[in-house]
Amino acid sequence: LKIALEVFGKYVSFERWNSDIPTIDSADDIAIKPDVVTYTTLISSLLQLKSKAATKRAMKMYRDMKHTWMIYPDTFLVDTILSAMISSGPIGFNDDDVRFTLTVLRDG
């Protein structure tokens, strides 16, 4: 998962792309673009770790998916996130988790 996140981060990070390849001006110029399946795989993997740090990273990744790439969740991603958040187990369910879950429900 760590390697997948690092590789994915290189594809979606504007700062890294702009510093590594000066000819890229926008997300439209990137040859490999993430899609909802890419984000579903990564977010699901993070949420399966059942840790607060992984949950925060999944939340950030979800925001990046929407705001940077204009990708909205499909039914499978919504179900995946809801299942993980409801069964959060030992990590609990704090206010940020509730807001995140409500956002996902609205987006779906």
Side-chain angles (χ1 to χ4, degrees):
L1 177 63
K2 183 178 180 181
I3 293 171
L5 288 171
E6 287 174 11
V7 170
F8 182 71
K10 289 180 182 181
Y11 283 116
V12 300
S13 173
F14 289 121
E15 292 80 20
R16 286 186 194 159
W17 273 99
N18 286 334
S19 67
D20 291 345
I21 304 171
T23 60
I24 293 178
D25 296 323
S26 71
D28 293 333
D29 294 334
I30 297 173
I32 300 173
K33 294 181 184 177
D35 60 10
V36 72
V37 175
T38 307
Y39 277 99
T40 298
T41 303
L42 293 171
I43 290 171
S44 174
S45 297
L46 284 168
L47 292 174
Q48 287 178 20
L49 296 175
K50 295 191 183 284
S51 73
K52 288 198 181 283
T55 301
K56 281 185 177 258
R57 188 144 187 202
M59 289 178 188
K60 182 185 180 314
M61 189 171 285
Y62 182 84
R63 283 190 303 274
D64 289 345
M65 174 188 83
K66 283 181 27 186
H67 299 294
T68 302
W69 294 98
M70 303 304 175
I71 298 171
Y72 286 86
D74 61 4
T75 304
F76 189 73
L77 179 55
V78 171
D79 289 347
T80 298
I81 292 171
L82 291 178
S83 294
M85 298 307 285
I86 290 169
S87 64
S88 60
I91 65 170
F93 206 67
N94 63 32
D95 290 343
D96 289 335
D97 297 336
V98 172
R99 280 190 290 278
F100 176 60
T101 303
L102 290 173
T103 298
V104 170
L105 281 171
R106 273 192 301 273
D107 294 342

